[in-house]
Amino acid sequence: MTRDAGEPGRIRTWLRRDGGQLSVEFTGMVPIILVTLVLLWQAVLVGYTFTLASGAADEGVRKAVASGAWDRRTGCEAAVYERLPGAWEGSARIDCGTEGADMVKVTIRLEAPVLFPGFADLPIPVTATAGAAAEGK
């Protein structure tokens, strides 16, 4: 009696021969998955830096407008540094100024941290600007 190609014994033998294929494919995919995760995390860091910069610029404008003309710059910079986490304070460039007599404008430039600093040493600059009407005090 001959066995047919579709019998269970033959199929089991064929499956056993390809048993290591999953291990090889997994090993090949691991670096691709890890690089994708690192790039996604770097994108999250850049997005978070945008959020921090815009929030700090808004806070600086609020404080500058509320503090009056004589103490605008000091209040603005203090509010910005209070809002930023320590990792971003070192790269912060803050410009608290006025446009004309009736407008307060704050521009903040931050550098997004790089996940692996030694691997890619390219700063990713993020700039945020906020403005508000100056109150006459």
Side-chain angles (χ1 to χ4, degrees):
M1 186 161 165
T2 61
R3 288 194 156 180
D4 192 42
E7 285 188 29
R10 189 164 220 169
I11 291 173
R12 271 187 250 135
T13 305
W14 177 75
L15 286 175
R16 277 192 218 125
R17 282 187 298 165
D18 293 339
Q21 182 176 351
L22 181 64
S23 299
V24 172
E25 288 176 0
F26 181 74
T27 305
M29 288 301 292
V30 166
I32 295 170
I33 292 169
L34 290 177
V35 167
T36 303
L37 289 175
V38 166
L39 291 176
L40 286 174
W41 188 251
Q42 185 62 51
V44 167
L45 282 174
V46 173
Y48 185 58
T49 303
F50 270 103
T51 303
L52 287 175
S54 64
D58 289 341
E59 192 67 31
V61 162
R62 268 188 231 111
K63 187 71 169 183
V65 167
S67 62
W70 57 274
D71 197 28
R72 227 171 241 154
R73 182 172 302 278
T74 306
C76 169
E77 288 179 0
V80 168
Y81 281 120
E82 184 179 309
R83 182 76 185 248
L84 290 177
W88 279 266
E89 283 181 5
S91 69
R93 304 289 175 259
I94 304 166
D95 180 28
C96 300
T98 58
E99 284 187 359
D102 60 344
M103 188 74 169
V104 177
K105 181 179 175 185
V106 176
T107 303
I108 298 176
R109 183 179 182 275
L110 298 175
E111 290 182 3
V114 180
L115 192 58
F116 293 113
F119 180 69
D121 233 5
L122 40 122
I124 302 169
V126 172
T127 304
T129 304
E135 298 175 4
K137 284 191 176 184

PDB file of all heavy atoms in Angstrom, residues 59-69 71-73 75-76 79 96-97 104 106:
ATOM      1  N   GLU A  59       3.595  80.781  28.211  1.00  0.00           N
ATOM      2  CA  GLU A  59       3.748  81.153  29.628  1.00  0.00           C
ATOM      3  C   GLU A  59       4.619  82.405  29.767  1.00  0.00           C
ATOM      4  O   GLU A  59       4.340  83.273  30.602  1.00  0.00           O
ATOM      5  CB  GLU A  59       4.364  79.990  30.396  1.00  0.00           C
ATOM      6  CG  GLU A  59       4.309  80.135  31.887  1.00  0.00           C
ATOM      7  CD  GLU A  59       2.900  80.081  32.431  1.00  0.00           C
ATOM      8  OE1 GLU A  59       2.049  79.386  31.844  1.00  0.00           O
ATOM      9  OE2 GLU A  59       2.656  80.751  33.449  1.00  0.00           O
ATOM     10  N   GLY A  60       5.678  82.495  28.972  1.00  0.00           N
ATOM     11  CA  GLY A  60       6.538  83.675  29.013  1.00  0.00           C
ATOM     12  C   GLY A  60       5.807  84.939  28.600  1.00  0.00           C
ATOM     13  O   GLY A  60       5.979  85.999  29.213  1.00  0.00           O
ATOM     14  N   VAL A  61       4.972  84.841  27.572  1.00  0.00           N
ATOM     15  CA  VAL A  61       4.194  86.006  27.136  1.00  0.00           C
ATOM     16  C   VAL A  61       3.208  86.425  28.214  1.00  0.00           C
ATOM     17  O   VAL A  61       3.053  87.612  28.506  1.00  0.00           O
ATOM     18  CB  VAL A  61       3.458  85.697  25.802  1.00  0.00           C
ATOM     19  CG1 VAL A  61       2.346  86.672  25.546  1.00  0.00           C
ATOM     20  CG2 VAL A  61       4.429  85.739  24.655  1.00  0.00           C
ATOM     21  N   ARG A  62       2.529  85.454  28.823  1.00  0.00           N
ATOM     22  CA  ARG A  62       1.570  85.785  29.889  1.00  0.00           C
ATOM     23  C   ARG A  62       2.246  86.532  31.033  1.00  0.00           C
ATOM     24  O   ARG A  62       1.737  87.534  31.530  1.00  0.00           O
ATOM     25  CB  ARG A  62       0.932  84.500  30.423  1.00  0.00           C
ATOM     26  CG  ARG A  62      -0.326  84.148  29.729  1.00  0.00           C
ATOM     27  CD  ARG A  62      -1.027  82.991  30.426  1.00  0.00           C
ATOM     28  NE  ARG A  62      -1.312  82.008  29.398  1.00  0.00           N
ATOM     29  CZ  ARG A  62      -0.755  80.831  29.265  1.00  0.00           C
ATOM     30  NH1 ARG A  62       0.133  80.429  30.141  1.00  0.00           N
ATOM     31  NH2 ARG A  62      -1.080  80.036  28.290  1.00  0.00           N
ATOM     32  N   LYS A  63       3.391  86.019  31.432  1.00  0.00           N
ATOM     33  CA  LYS A  63       4.112  86.644  32.555  1.00  0.00           C
ATOM     34  C   LYS A  63       4.650  88.025  32.162  1.00  0.00           C
ATOM     35  O   LYS A  63       4.609  88.958  32.966  1.00  0.00           O
ATOM     36  CB  LYS A  63       5.257  85.732  32.988  1.00  0.00           C
ATOM     37  CG  LYS A  63       5.953  86.167  34.221  1.00  0.00           C
ATOM     38  CD  LYS A  63       5.086  85.973  35.434  1.00  0.00           C
ATOM     39  CE  LYS A  63       5.924  86.174  36.678  1.00  0.00           C
ATOM     40  NZ  LYS A  63       5.181  85.929  37.881  1.00  0.00           N
ATOM     41  N   ALA A  64       5.140  88.157  30.929  1.00  0.00           N
ATOM     42  CA  ALA A  64       5.674  89.438  30.480  1.00  0.00           C
ATOM     43  C   ALA A  64       4.577  90.492  30.394  1.00  0.00           C
ATOM     44  O   ALA A  64       4.779  91.647  30.776  1.00  0.00           O
ATOM     45  CB  ALA A  64       6.348  89.268  29.121  1.00  0.00           C
ATOM     46  N   VAL A  65       3.415  90.116  29.919  1.00  0.00           N
ATOM     47  CA  VAL A  65       2.304  91.071  29.810  1.00  0.00           C
ATOM     48  C   VAL A  65       1.821  91.476  31.196  1.00  0.00           C
ATOM     49  O   VAL A  65       1.532  92.640  31.457  1.00  0.00           O
ATOM     50  CB  VAL A  65       1.154  90.455  28.974  1.00  0.00           C
ATOM     51  CG1 VAL A  65      -0.118  91.260  29.104  1.00  0.00           C
ATOM     52  CG2 VAL A  65       1.569  90.367  27.513  1.00  0.00           C
ATOM     53  N   ALA A  66       1.758  90.516  32.106  1.00  0.00           N
ATOM     54  CA  ALA A  66       1.245  90.806  33.449  1.00  0.00           C
ATOM     55  C   ALA A  66       2.224  91.604  34.300  1.00  0.00           C
ATOM     56  O   ALA A  66       1.810  92.316  35.215  1.00  0.00           O
ATOM     57  CB  ALA A  66       0.900  89.499  34.156  1.00  0.00           C
ATOM     58  N   SER A  67       3.513  91.497  34.024  1.00  0.00           N
ATOM     59  CA  SER A  67       4.498  92.145  34.893  1.00  0.00           C
ATOM     60  C   SER A  67       4.710  93.619  34.589  1.00  0.00           C
ATOM     61  O   SER A  67       5.312  94.321  35.382  1.00  0.00           O
ATOM     62  CB  SER A  67       5.830  91.399  34.832  1.00  0.00           C
ATOM     63  OG  SER A  67       6.341  91.431  33.525  1.00  0.00           O
ATOM     64  N   GLY A  68       4.263  94.084  33.468  1.00  0.00           N
ATOM     65  CA  GLY A  68       4.424  95.507  33.169  1.00  0.00           C
ATOM     66  C   GLY A  68       5.704  95.776  32.396  1.00  0.00           C
ATOM     67  O   GLY A  68       6.574  94.929  32.258  1.00  0.00           O
ATOM     68  N   ALA A  69       5.828  96.996  31.904  1.00  0.00           N
ATOM     69  CA  ALA A  69       6.921  97.354  31.002  1.00  0.00           C
ATOM     70  C   ALA A  69       8.289  97.332  31.670  1.00  0.00           C
ATOM     71  O   ALA A  69       9.286  97.006  31.036  1.00  0.00           O
ATOM     72  CB  ALA A  69       6.665  98.737  30.413  1.00  0.00           C
ATOM     73  N   ASP A  71       9.533  95.369  34.045  1.00  0.00           N
ATOM     74  CA  ASP A  71      10.083  94.083  34.466  1.00  0.00           C
ATOM     75  C   ASP A  71       9.741  92.967  33.478  1.00  0.00           C
ATOM     76  O   ASP A  71       9.698  91.811  33.849  1.00  0.00           O
ATOM     77  CB  ASP A  71       9.528  93.760  35.854  1.00  0.00           C
ATOM     78  CG  ASP A  71      10.335  92.676  36.542  1.00  0.00           C
ATOM     79  OD1 ASP A  71      11.535  92.531  36.270  1.00  0.00           O
ATOM     80  OD2 ASP A  71       9.744  91.965  37.363  1.00  0.00           O
ATOM     81  N   ARG A  72       9.506  93.325  32.240  1.00  0.00           N
ATOM     82  CA  ARG A  72       9.031  92.360  31.255  1.00  0.00           C
ATOM     83  C   ARG A  72      10.031  91.234  30.985  1.00  0.00           C
ATOM     84  O   ARG A  72       9.675  90.063  31.025  1.00  0.00           O
ATOM     85  CB  ARG A  72       8.740  93.103  29.949  1.00  0.00           C
ATOM     86  CG  ARG A  72       7.443  92.706  29.396  1.00  0.00           C
ATOM     87  CD  ARG A  72       7.022  93.557  28.254  1.00  0.00           C
ATOM     88  NE  ARG A  72       5.770  94.174  28.660  1.00  0.00           N
ATOM     89  CZ  ARG A  72       5.314  95.292  28.215  1.00  0.00           C
ATOM     90  NH1 ARG A  72       5.970  95.971  27.331  1.00  0.00           N
ATOM     91  NH2 ARG A  72       4.182  95.766  28.637  1.00  0.00           N
ATOM     92  N   ARG A  73      11.247  91.565  30.685  1.00  0.00           N
ATOM     93  CA  ARG A  73      12.239  90.558  30.294  1.00  0.00           C
ATOM     94  C   ARG A  73      12.538  89.574  31.438  1.00  0.00           C
ATOM     95  O   ARG A  73      12.595  88.366  31.232  1.00  0.00           O
ATOM     96  CB  ARG A  73      13.531  91.222  29.835  1.00  0.00           C
ATOM     97  CG  ARG A  73      14.589  90.224  29.374  1.00  0.00           C
ATOM     98  CD  ARG A  73      15.777  90.898  28.747  1.00  0.00           C
ATOM     99  NE  ARG A  73      15.435  91.717  27.611  1.00  0.00           N
ATOM    100  CZ  ARG A  73      15.244  91.267  26.364  1.00  0.00           C
ATOM    101  NH1 ARG A  73      15.353  89.988  26.128  1.00  0.00           N
ATOM    102  NH2 ARG A  73      14.948  92.077  25.382  1.00  0.00           N
ATOM    103  N   GLY A  75      10.629  88.742  34.063  1.00  0.00           N
ATOM    104  CA  GLY A  75       9.474  87.895  34.311  1.00  0.00           C
ATOM    105  C   GLY A  75       9.278  86.857  33.229  1.00  0.00           C
ATOM    106  O   GLY A  75       8.942  85.700  33.498  1.00  0.00           O
ATOM    107  N   CYS A  76       9.509  87.258  31.998  1.00  0.00           N
ATOM    108  CA  CYS A  76       9.369  86.355  30.855  1.00  0.00           C
ATOM    109  C   CYS A  76      10.364  85.205  30.945  1.00  0.00           C
ATOM    110  O   CYS A  76       9.985  84.034  30.841  1.00  0.00           O
ATOM    111  CB  CYS A  76       9.571  87.142  29.567  1.00  0.00           C
ATOM    112  SG  CYS A  76       9.729  86.128  28.103  1.00  0.00           S
ATOM    113  N   ALA A  79       9.604  82.758  33.808  1.00  0.00           N
ATOM    114  CA  ALA A  79       8.452  81.896  33.519  1.00  0.00           C
ATOM    115  C   ALA A  79       8.817  80.798  32.525  1.00  0.00           C
ATOM    116  O   ALA A  79       8.375  79.654  32.657  1.00  0.00           O
ATOM    117  CB  ALA A  79       7.295  82.726  32.977  1.00  0.00           C
ATOM    118  N   CYS A  96      12.804  87.625  24.617  1.00  0.00           N
ATOM    119  CA  CYS A  96      11.604  88.297  25.113  1.00  0.00           C
ATOM    120  C   CYS A  96      11.702  89.760  24.707  1.00  0.00           C
ATOM    121  O   CYS A  96      12.567  90.477  25.190  1.00  0.00           O
ATOM    122  CB  CYS A  96      11.510  88.204  26.628  1.00  0.00           C
ATOM    123  SG  CYS A  96      11.439  86.527  27.259  1.00  0.00           S
ATOM    124  N   GLY A  97      10.844  90.160  23.827  1.00  0.00           N
ATOM    125  CA  GLY A  97      10.926  91.532  23.357  1.00  0.00           C
ATOM    126  C   GLY A  97       9.566  92.103  23.038  1.00  0.00           C
ATOM    127  O   GLY A  97       8.531  91.507  23.314  1.00  0.00           O
ATOM    128  N   VAL A 104       3.849  92.297  22.815  1.00  0.00           N
ATOM    129  CA  VAL A 104       4.931  91.552  23.453  1.00  0.00           C
ATOM    130  C   VAL A 104       5.102  90.257  22.680  1.00  0.00           C
ATOM    131  O   VAL A 104       4.129  89.563  22.388  1.00  0.00           O
ATOM    132  CB  VAL A 104       4.612  91.240  24.937  1.00  0.00           C
ATOM    133  CG1 VAL A 104       5.711  90.398  25.550  1.00  0.00           C
ATOM    134  CG2 VAL A 104       4.416  92.519  25.712  1.00  0.00           C
ATOM    135  N   VAL A 106       7.527  86.622  22.311  1.00  0.00           N
ATOM    136  CA  VAL A 106       8.531  85.725  22.879  1.00  0.00           C
ATOM    137  C   VAL A 106       8.846  84.657  21.838  1.00  0.00           C
ATOM    138  O   VAL A 106       7.945  84.018  21.301  1.00  0.00           O
ATOM    139  CB  VAL A 106       8.031  85.068  24.181  1.00  0.00           C
ATOM    140  CG1 VAL A 106       9.045  84.067  24.693  1.00  0.00           C
ATOM    141  CG2 VAL A 106       7.744  86.113  25.226  1.00  0.00           C
TER     142      VAL A 106
END
